Amino acid sequence: MSWTKFVAEIDAKDVFRLNTTTQLNGRFTVPGDKSISHRSIIFGALAEGETRVSGFLRSEDCLATLQIMQDLGVDITAAGDEVLISGVGLHGLKASAGELDCGNAGTAMRLLSGLLAAQNFSSTLVGDESLSIRPMGRVIRPLTTMGANITSDNDTAPLRFNPVNAIHAINYNSPIASAQVKSAVLIAGLYADGKTNVTEPKKSRDHTETMLAGFGAEVEVEGLTVGVKGQPQLQGQNIQVPADISSAAFFMVLGLCHPKADFIIENVSINPTRDGVIKILQAMGGKLTLENVRDQAGEPVADIRVQSSELKGIEIPHDLIPSAIDEFPIIFIAAAFASGQTKLTGAEELRHKESDRIKVMLDGLNLLGIDCEELADGAIIKGGTLGSGMVDGHGDHRCAMSFLLAGALSSGQEISVRGCHNIGTSFPEFFDLVTALGIAVKQPVPVITVDGPSGVGKGTISALLAKELDWHLLDSGAIYRSLALKAMKSTVKATDEERLIELAEHLDLTFSVDGKTGTNIILDGTPVNAELRSEACGEMASKVAPIPAVRAALMQRQKDFQQTPGLIADGRDMGTVVFKSAPLKVFLTANPKERAKRRHKQLQEQGVDVKIRDLLEDIEARDYRDSSRKVAPLVPASDAHVIDTSELSIDEVFAKIIGLIEQHIKI
Ligand code: DC
């Protein structure tokens, strides 16, 4: 596949925008709990007899666990969200021929580490790029104490498990409250003689101990210590997986911050080790009501009523952090919509999730104009109004979904989110569900903006890029020049704002693209390419362009160029005003002398004789006008890549931009 095609395909798939103005009512549910789904497969496999799981979350993460257990010789069949596992018993797993791929799933890698560490055959766990940099020392250390033989580079995946003959029970004092660490040790402990205990500084989610007890293991919970007796005989179970509170959390915040919402999310797990998000949002003034609270195979579940609320900022209590640890991306969005300040400390753990969630979320909120401050172990967020922009979810599913819903809540703003490709790891139905709620999902056509002063080579570079990518090209300067030409022909002066606005509003201008001659610019039915390039026309354009109403009148014409498969937009304010959400913005500069030289050469080639000194004076005067004007002045967008072309050839500039495209659009 050529990179050109790759750019278009990936970008179209990976950049989204949501919008809503509708009322949010009714009842719906979200997919099954991720933590419970992972564990149901693992324990079902280790049990004797059959385990039936309904409501299984068919996300990429959980399917990775399912595939790995199949690779280890377990017979598992899945139809929709119903899964049937023929358990092989504690000692029935077989070595896999190949590596075992956890994809993006930290839960799979850490829980299965506990399982594979205790086997008398070798295996290797691998993961994707993001999982391969996440810390695994936290499970390797206690498992090694238990007698496991694990090799890794720098305590990161790939993890190689060498065969062992025996695993020893330990009493482990975990330095962190992590259900994944606790579970890894307890799962290895199933293979030990005697009782393995794990004590945590704070209680983490308890699905492992709850489910192990349900499968018949001897489990003891005392305060912050969980103990499990080794060599149990696990018995197959019927498991009904409740809806995932972590997925429901996105819709809780959507409803609370939405002006017209009153809906119910059904059958949600409200396990007390997971319900921190409900307590935090309620403390912020969120109207969340638990209805029909009931017990479902040891797991408490409820229907959650969500009503529009006036949220206010709070200091998040430390004791709620472990039970809300996965929900902070969307809690940060709630904080951005709340009045006043929200402060989180003591949550350094967020930096070691699928991304550094403190940085990713705060970078995005900052870019959208929210006043916030990154702390080493948390954040301070002052509620405000979100502006437009393109934010980056950095391939972290929860950050991406959080920003998307922020976009859905910000009517009138254009918030696009890049890096959404991992949403399927936890919530494959996310887009179906938001669509069902009446929220429009848009995959914007990608735009690359190329801004800079006149004579910098934007036109040449932009045309080359458009040709290379086979994308549309917008020469926005030609639109201002066309208006200038029309004004000159109609003897309208640059000072006659009223007439200029009228001309701008009714400009009869078309761009017809012809494979041979390039773009033909037709004004009032006549081709005007050559006339537009005259110095007089450029001069006039630079005088009419600062008029705000003229710019407003020409805005939509420019936006209309955004057509599939993509657009290269060349001008002064493409990245700052017209295409603020462009996924790649380039700003070209060059010193005025160099630009005058280039322009001189160009004019000489056209047989026009002018002095370089005059051109330099012109360029400097025009630069001054373009950059000092009040509306859309010539400045690089804050997220633009500035390239000084003074010492670079066209080929070198082109190569640099291609490099940026590969880096920033191909994700
Ligand atoms: O890029 P150019 O030389 O063809 O542009 C002609 C004039 O139009 C320039 O002096 C400033 C104005 N212009 C603008 O204000 N905004 C744009 N996006 C493009 C051009």
Side-chain angles (χ1 to χ4, degrees), residues 188-215:
L190 296 175
Y191 290 85
D193 286 325
K195 192 168 154 226
T196 295
N197 293 305
V198 181
T199 306
E200 297 182 282
K202 280 182 196 145
K203 196 161 172 64
S204 65
R205 63 187 62 175
D206 62 1
H207 305 296
T208 294
E209 46 268 41
T210 305
M211 204 182 285
L212 273 177
F215 272 86

PDB file of all heavy atoms in Angstrom, residues 188-215:
ATOM      1  N   ALA A 188      -1.281 -17.047  40.601  1.00  0.00           N
ATOM      2  CA  ALA A 188      -0.111 -17.932  40.774  1.00  0.00           C
ATOM      3  C   ALA A 188      -0.295 -18.757  42.050  1.00  0.00           C
ATOM      4  O   ALA A 188       0.038 -19.947  42.096  1.00  0.00           O
ATOM      5  CB  ALA A 188       1.165 -17.098  40.836  1.00  0.00           C
ATOM      6  N   GLY A 189      -0.870 -18.100  43.069  1.00  0.00           N
ATOM      7  CA  GLY A 189      -1.087 -18.765  44.362  1.00  0.00           C
ATOM      8  C   GLY A 189      -2.009 -19.979  44.262  1.00  0.00           C
ATOM      9  O   GLY A 189      -1.968 -20.866  45.111  1.00  0.00           O
ATOM     10  N   LEU A 190      -2.827 -20.030  43.198  1.00  0.00           N
ATOM     11  CA  LEU A 190      -3.707 -21.197  43.014  1.00  0.00           C
ATOM     12  C   LEU A 190      -2.867 -22.465  42.847  1.00  0.00           C
ATOM     13  O   LEU A 190      -3.323 -23.572  43.119  1.00  0.00           O
ATOM     14  CB  LEU A 190      -4.595 -21.023  41.764  1.00  0.00           C
ATOM     15  CG  LEU A 190      -5.609 -19.873  41.767  1.00  0.00           C
ATOM     16  CD1 LEU A 190      -6.310 -19.787  40.408  1.00  0.00           C
ATOM     17  CD2 LEU A 190      -6.648 -20.085  42.873  1.00  0.00           C
ATOM     18  N   TYR A 191      -1.623 -22.271  42.367  1.00  0.00           N
ATOM     19  CA  TYR A 191      -0.751 -23.428  42.081  1.00  0.00           C
ATOM     20  C   TYR A 191       0.168 -23.767  43.253  1.00  0.00           C
ATOM     21  O   TYR A 191       0.963 -24.695  43.171  1.00  0.00           O
ATOM     22  CB  TYR A 191       0.076 -23.137  40.817  1.00  0.00           C
ATOM     23  CG  TYR A 191      -0.796 -23.143  39.575  1.00  0.00           C
ATOM     24  CD1 TYR A 191      -1.491 -21.999  39.172  1.00  0.00           C
ATOM     25  CD2 TYR A 191      -0.960 -24.310  38.836  1.00  0.00           C
ATOM     26  CE1 TYR A 191      -2.313 -22.015  38.063  1.00  0.00           C
ATOM     27  CE2 TYR A 191      -1.783 -24.330  37.714  1.00  0.00           C
ATOM     28  CZ  TYR A 191      -2.459 -23.185  37.329  1.00  0.00           C
ATOM     29  OH  TYR A 191      -3.271 -23.216  36.232  1.00  0.00           O
ATOM     30  N   ALA A 192       0.127 -22.963  44.324  1.00  0.00           N
ATOM     31  CA  ALA A 192       1.033 -23.186  45.458  1.00  0.00           C
ATOM     32  C   ALA A 192       0.411 -24.165  46.443  1.00  0.00           C
ATOM     33  O   ALA A 192      -0.799 -24.386  46.441  1.00  0.00           O
ATOM     34  CB  ALA A 192       1.305 -21.852  46.151  1.00  0.00           C
ATOM     35  N   ASP A 193       1.274 -24.773  47.292  1.00  0.00           N
ATOM     36  CA  ASP A 193       0.745 -25.529  48.427  1.00  0.00           C
ATOM     37  C   ASP A 193       0.622 -24.510  49.539  1.00  0.00           C
ATOM     38  O   ASP A 193       1.574 -23.826  49.847  1.00  0.00           O
ATOM     39  CB  ASP A 193       1.728 -26.631  48.843  1.00  0.00           C
ATOM     40  CG  ASP A 193       1.695 -27.763  47.821  1.00  0.00           C
ATOM     41  OD1 ASP A 193       0.609 -28.040  47.290  1.00  0.00           O
ATOM     42  OD2 ASP A 193       2.772 -28.328  47.542  1.00  0.00           O
ATOM     43  N   GLY A 194      -0.514 -24.375  50.124  1.00  0.00           N
ATOM     44  CA  GLY A 194      -0.669 -23.398  51.209  1.00  0.00           C
ATOM     45  C   GLY A 194      -1.366 -22.141  50.736  1.00  0.00           C
ATOM     46  O   GLY A 194      -1.827 -22.059  49.589  1.00  0.00           O
ATOM     47  N   LYS A 195      -1.433 -21.171  51.632  1.00  0.00           N
ATOM     48  CA  LYS A 195      -2.254 -19.991  51.376  1.00  0.00           C
ATOM     49  C   LYS A 195      -1.395 -18.779  50.990  1.00  0.00           C
ATOM     50  O   LYS A 195      -0.416 -18.463  51.668  1.00  0.00           O
ATOM     51  CB  LYS A 195      -3.054 -19.677  52.651  1.00  0.00           C
ATOM     52  CG  LYS A 195      -4.131 -18.679  52.447  1.00  0.00           C
ATOM     53  CD  LYS A 195      -5.050 -18.659  53.668  1.00  0.00           C
ATOM     54  CE  LYS A 195      -5.705 -17.328  53.802  1.00  0.00           C
ATOM     55  NZ  LYS A 195      -5.680 -16.797  55.139  1.00  0.00           N
ATOM     56  N   THR A 196      -1.782 -18.130  49.909  1.00  0.00           N
ATOM     57  CA  THR A 196      -1.085 -16.913  49.466  1.00  0.00           C
ATOM     58  C   THR A 196      -1.924 -15.715  49.885  1.00  0.00           C
ATOM     59  O   THR A 196      -3.134 -15.686  49.651  1.00  0.00           O
ATOM     60  CB  THR A 196      -0.921 -16.939  47.930  1.00  0.00           C
ATOM     61  OG1 THR A 196      -0.052 -18.018  47.598  1.00  0.00           O
ATOM     62  CG2 THR A 196      -0.334 -15.641  47.404  1.00  0.00           C
ATOM     63  N   ASN A 197      -1.258 -14.758  50.526  1.00  0.00           N
ATOM     64  CA  ASN A 197      -1.969 -13.548  50.966  1.00  0.00           C
ATOM     65  C   ASN A 197      -1.402 -12.319  50.263  1.00  0.00           C
ATOM     66  O   ASN A 197      -0.183 -12.201  50.100  1.00  0.00           O
ATOM     67  CB  ASN A 197      -1.788 -13.342  52.479  1.00  0.00           C
ATOM     68  CG  ASN A 197      -2.484 -14.426  53.268  1.00  0.00           C
ATOM     69  OD1 ASN A 197      -3.679 -14.655  53.112  1.00  0.00           O
ATOM     70  ND2 ASN A 197      -1.716 -15.122  54.094  1.00  0.00           N
ATOM     71  N   VAL A 198      -2.286 -11.418  49.884  1.00  0.00           N
ATOM     72  CA  VAL A 198      -1.835 -10.134  49.331  1.00  0.00           C
ATOM     73  C   VAL A 198      -2.469  -9.027  50.151  1.00  0.00           C
ATOM     74  O   VAL A 198      -3.689  -9.004  50.351  1.00  0.00           O
ATOM     75  CB  VAL A 198      -2.259  -9.965  47.849  1.00  0.00           C
ATOM     76  CG1 VAL A 198      -1.756  -8.631  47.302  1.00  0.00           C
ATOM     77  CG2 VAL A 198      -1.740 -11.105  46.995  1.00  0.00           C
ATOM     78  N   THR A 199      -1.616  -8.124  50.650  1.00  0.00           N
ATOM     79  CA  THR A 199      -2.117  -6.970  51.396  1.00  0.00           C
ATOM     80  C   THR A 199      -1.826  -5.717  50.580  1.00  0.00           C
ATOM     81  O   THR A 199      -0.714  -5.548  50.069  1.00  0.00           O
ATOM     82  CB  THR A 199      -1.425  -6.872  52.776  1.00  0.00           C
ATOM     83  OG1 THR A 199      -1.603  -8.138  53.427  1.00  0.00           O
ATOM     84  CG2 THR A 199      -2.019  -5.758  53.624  1.00  0.00           C
ATOM     85  N   GLU A 200      -2.850  -4.871  50.467  1.00  0.00           N
ATOM     86  CA  GLU A 200      -2.685  -3.654  49.660  1.00  0.00           C
ATOM     87  C   GLU A 200      -2.760  -2.411  50.532  1.00  0.00           C
ATOM     88  O   GLU A 200      -3.385  -2.438  51.596  1.00  0.00           O
ATOM     89  CB  GLU A 200      -3.825  -3.563  48.637  1.00  0.00           C
ATOM     90  CG  GLU A 200      -3.851  -4.683  47.651  1.00  0.00           C
ATOM     91  CD  GLU A 200      -4.980  -4.476  46.657  1.00  0.00           C
ATOM     92  OE1 GLU A 200      -6.148  -4.746  47.013  1.00  0.00           O
ATOM     93  OE2 GLU A 200      -4.702  -4.026  45.547  1.00  0.00           O
ATOM     94  N   PRO A 201      -2.172  -1.307  50.066  1.00  0.00           N
ATOM     95  CA  PRO A 201      -2.276  -0.069  50.861  1.00  0.00           C
ATOM     96  C   PRO A 201      -3.711   0.476  50.870  1.00  0.00           C
ATOM     97  O   PRO A 201      -4.134   1.126  51.817  1.00  0.00           O
ATOM     98  CB  PRO A 201      -1.330   0.901  50.148  1.00  0.00           C
ATOM     99  CG  PRO A 201      -1.081   0.324  48.789  1.00  0.00           C
ATOM    100  CD  PRO A 201      -1.311  -1.150  48.886  1.00  0.00           C
ATOM    101  N   LYS A 202      -4.430   0.251  49.776  1.00  0.00           N
ATOM    102  CA  LYS A 202      -5.850   0.619  49.702  1.00  0.00           C
ATOM    103  C   LYS A 202      -6.539  -0.493  48.935  1.00  0.00           C
ATOM    104  O   LYS A 202      -5.890  -1.199  48.166  1.00  0.00           O
ATOM    105  CB  LYS A 202      -6.025   1.923  48.915  1.00  0.00           C
ATOM    106  CG  LYS A 202      -5.741   3.163  49.724  1.00  0.00           C
ATOM    107  CD  LYS A 202      -5.990   4.394  48.891  1.00  0.00           C
ATOM    108  CE  LYS A 202      -5.339   5.603  49.545  1.00  0.00           C
ATOM    109  NZ  LYS A 202      -4.807   6.548  48.577  1.00  0.00           N
ATOM    110  N   LYS A 203      -7.841  -0.592  49.104  1.00  0.00           N
ATOM    111  CA  LYS A 203      -8.537  -1.710  48.453  1.00  0.00           C
ATOM    112  C   LYS A 203      -8.688  -1.449  46.950  1.00  0.00           C
ATOM    113  O   LYS A 203      -9.190  -0.399  46.547  1.00  0.00           O
ATOM    114  CB  LYS A 203      -9.913  -1.879  49.096  1.00  0.00           C
ATOM    115  CG  LYS A 203     -10.531  -3.228  48.775  1.00  0.00           C
ATOM    116  CD  LYS A 203     -11.632  -3.560  49.761  1.00  0.00           C
ATOM    117  CE  LYS A 203     -12.393  -4.804  49.351  1.00  0.00           C
ATOM    118  NZ  LYS A 203     -11.565  -6.009  49.350  1.00  0.00           N
ATOM    119  N   SER A 204      -8.224  -2.386  46.155  1.00  0.00           N
ATOM    120  CA  SER A 204      -8.451  -2.269  44.708  1.00  0.00           C
ATOM    121  C   SER A 204      -9.659  -3.138  44.341  1.00  0.00           C
ATOM    122  O   SER A 204     -10.186  -3.855  45.192  1.00  0.00           O
ATOM    123  CB  SER A 204      -7.215  -2.734  43.944  1.00  0.00           C
ATOM    124  OG  SER A 204      -7.007  -4.107  44.169  1.00  0.00           O
ATOM    125  N   ARG A 205     -10.052  -3.106  43.075  1.00  0.00           N
ATOM    126  CA  ARG A 205     -11.274  -3.844  42.683  1.00  0.00           C
ATOM    127  C   ARG A 205     -11.134  -5.329  43.049  1.00  0.00           C
ATOM    128  O   ARG A 205     -10.046  -5.895  42.987  1.00  0.00           O
ATOM    129  CB  ARG A 205     -11.581  -3.626  41.207  1.00  0.00           C
ATOM    130  CG  ARG A 205     -10.542  -4.150  40.267  1.00  0.00           C
ATOM    131  CD  ARG A 205     -10.853  -3.739  38.843  1.00  0.00           C
ATOM    132  NE  ARG A 205     -10.838  -2.279  38.689  1.00  0.00           N
ATOM    133  CZ  ARG A 205     -10.989  -1.654  37.527  1.00  0.00           C
ATOM    134  NH1 ARG A 205     -11.210  -2.351  36.424  1.00  0.00           N
ATOM    135  NH2 ARG A 205     -10.939  -0.359  37.439  1.00  0.00           N
ATOM    136  N   ASP A 206     -12.266  -5.923  43.419  1.00  0.00           N
ATOM    137  CA  ASP A 206     -12.200  -7.257  44.040  1.00  0.00           C
ATOM    138  C   ASP A 206     -12.809  -8.366  43.185  1.00  0.00           C
ATOM    139  O   ASP A 206     -13.222  -9.392  43.701  1.00  0.00           O
ATOM    140  CB  ASP A 206     -12.899  -7.210  45.411  1.00  0.00           C
ATOM    141  CG  ASP A 206     -14.383  -6.841  45.283  1.00  0.00           C
ATOM    142  OD1 ASP A 206     -14.855  -6.643  44.134  1.00  0.00           O
ATOM    143  OD2 ASP A 206     -15.073  -6.751  46.310  1.00  0.00           O
ATOM    144  N   HIS A 207     -12.858  -8.168  41.871  1.00  0.00           N
ATOM    145  CA  HIS A 207     -13.519  -9.178  41.034  1.00  0.00           C
ATOM    146  C   HIS A 207     -12.826 -10.539  41.102  1.00  0.00           C
ATOM    147  O   HIS A 207     -13.471 -11.570  41.034  1.00  0.00           O
ATOM    148  CB  HIS A 207     -13.556  -8.716  39.573  1.00  0.00           C
ATOM    149  CG  HIS A 207     -14.196  -7.382  39.392  1.00  0.00           C
ATOM    150  ND1 HIS A 207     -15.516  -7.150  39.687  1.00  0.00           N
ATOM    151  CD2 HIS A 207     -13.700  -6.196  38.969  1.00  0.00           C
ATOM    152  CE1 HIS A 207     -15.801  -5.883  39.433  1.00  0.00           C
ATOM    153  NE2 HIS A 207     -14.710  -5.287  39.004  1.00  0.00           N
ATOM    154  N   THR A 208     -11.486 -10.521  41.214  1.00  0.00           N
ATOM    155  CA  THR A 208     -10.766 -11.804  41.227  1.00  0.00           C
ATOM    156  C   THR A 208     -11.190 -12.631  42.432  1.00  0.00           C
ATOM    157  O   THR A 208     -11.573 -13.800  42.295  1.00  0.00           O
ATOM    158  CB  THR A 208      -9.247 -11.558  41.246  1.00  0.00           C
ATOM    159  OG1 THR A 208      -8.905 -10.945  40.008  1.00  0.00           O
ATOM    160  CG2 THR A 208      -8.459 -12.846  41.397  1.00  0.00           C
ATOM    161  N   GLU A 209     -11.140 -12.020  43.629  1.00  0.00           N
ATOM    162  CA  GLU A 209     -11.471 -12.815  44.820  1.00  0.00           C
ATOM    163  C   GLU A 209     -12.954 -13.210  44.832  1.00  0.00           C
ATOM    164  O   GLU A 209     -13.308 -14.335  45.183  1.00  0.00           O
ATOM    165  CB  GLU A 209     -11.057 -12.100  46.120  1.00  0.00           C
ATOM    166  CG  GLU A 209     -11.414 -10.633  46.255  1.00  0.00           C
ATOM    167  CD  GLU A 209     -10.336  -9.676  45.771  1.00  0.00           C
ATOM    168  OE1 GLU A 209      -9.734  -9.965  44.714  1.00  0.00           O
ATOM    169  OE2 GLU A 209     -10.099  -8.635  46.419  1.00  0.00           O
ATOM    170  N   THR A 210     -13.820 -12.281  44.370  1.00  0.00           N
ATOM    171  CA  THR A 210     -15.256 -12.600  44.341  1.00  0.00           C
ATOM    172  C   THR A 210     -15.513 -13.776  43.403  1.00  0.00           C
ATOM    173  O   THR A 210     -16.219 -14.728  43.732  1.00  0.00           O
ATOM    174  CB  THR A 210     -16.055 -11.375  43.850  1.00  0.00           C
ATOM    175  OG1 THR A 210     -15.718 -10.276  44.671  1.00  0.00           O
ATOM    176  CG2 THR A 210     -17.555 -11.607  43.893  1.00  0.00           C
ATOM    177  N   MET A 211     -14.896 -13.711  42.213  1.00  0.00           N
ATOM    178  CA  MET A 211     -15.180 -14.757  41.232  1.00  0.00           C
ATOM    179  C   MET A 211     -14.524 -16.082  41.611  1.00  0.00           C
ATOM    180  O   MET A 211     -15.105 -17.155  41.422  1.00  0.00           O
ATOM    181  CB  MET A 211     -14.730 -14.306  39.844  1.00  0.00           C
ATOM    182  CG  MET A 211     -15.487 -15.022  38.751  1.00  0.00           C
ATOM    183  SD  MET A 211     -14.948 -14.576  37.113  1.00  0.00           S
ATOM    184  CE  MET A 211     -15.644 -12.990  36.928  1.00  0.00           C
ATOM    185  N   LEU A 212     -13.302 -16.007  42.177  1.00  0.00           N
ATOM    186  CA  LEU A 212     -12.640 -17.252  42.601  1.00  0.00           C
ATOM    187  C   LEU A 212     -13.489 -17.967  43.648  1.00  0.00           C
ATOM    188  O   LEU A 212     -13.653 -19.182  43.600  1.00  0.00           O
ATOM    189  CB  LEU A 212     -11.248 -16.955  43.173  1.00  0.00           C
ATOM    190  CG  LEU A 212     -10.105 -16.891  42.148  1.00  0.00           C
ATOM    191  CD1 LEU A 212      -8.797 -16.515  42.844  1.00  0.00           C
ATOM    192  CD2 LEU A 212      -9.945 -18.224  41.407  1.00  0.00           C
ATOM    193  N   ALA A 213     -14.041 -17.185  44.585  1.00  0.00           N
ATOM    194  CA  ALA A 213     -14.907 -17.788  45.607  1.00  0.00           C
ATOM    195  C   ALA A 213     -16.124 -18.418  44.929  1.00  0.00           C
ATOM    196  O   ALA A 213     -16.534 -19.532  45.267  1.00  0.00           O
ATOM    197  CB  ALA A 213     -15.325 -16.727  46.618  1.00  0.00           C
ATOM    198  N   GLY A 214     -16.675 -17.732  43.927  1.00  0.00           N
ATOM    199  CA  GLY A 214     -17.831 -18.254  43.192  1.00  0.00           C
ATOM    200  C   GLY A 214     -17.510 -19.570  42.485  1.00  0.00           C
ATOM    201  O   GLY A 214     -18.368 -20.434  42.335  1.00  0.00           O
ATOM    202  N   PHE A 215     -16.260 -19.723  42.039  1.00  0.00           N
ATOM    203  CA  PHE A 215     -15.852 -20.958  41.349  1.00  0.00           C
ATOM    204  C   PHE A 215     -15.468 -22.056  42.350  1.00  0.00           C
ATOM    205  O   PHE A 215     -15.097 -23.154  41.961  1.00  0.00           O
ATOM    206  CB  PHE A 215     -14.660 -20.682  40.424  1.00  0.00           C
ATOM    207  CG  PHE A 215     -15.055 -20.229  39.044  1.00  0.00           C
ATOM    208  CD1 PHE A 215     -15.306 -18.886  38.784  1.00  0.00           C
ATOM    209  CD2 PHE A 215     -15.187 -21.128  37.991  1.00  0.00           C
ATOM    210  CE1 PHE A 215     -15.665 -18.462  37.511  1.00  0.00           C
ATOM    211  CE2 PHE A 215     -15.539 -20.718  36.710  1.00  0.00           C
ATOM    212  CZ  PHE A 215     -15.782 -19.379  36.473  1.00  0.00           C
TER     213      PHE A 215
END
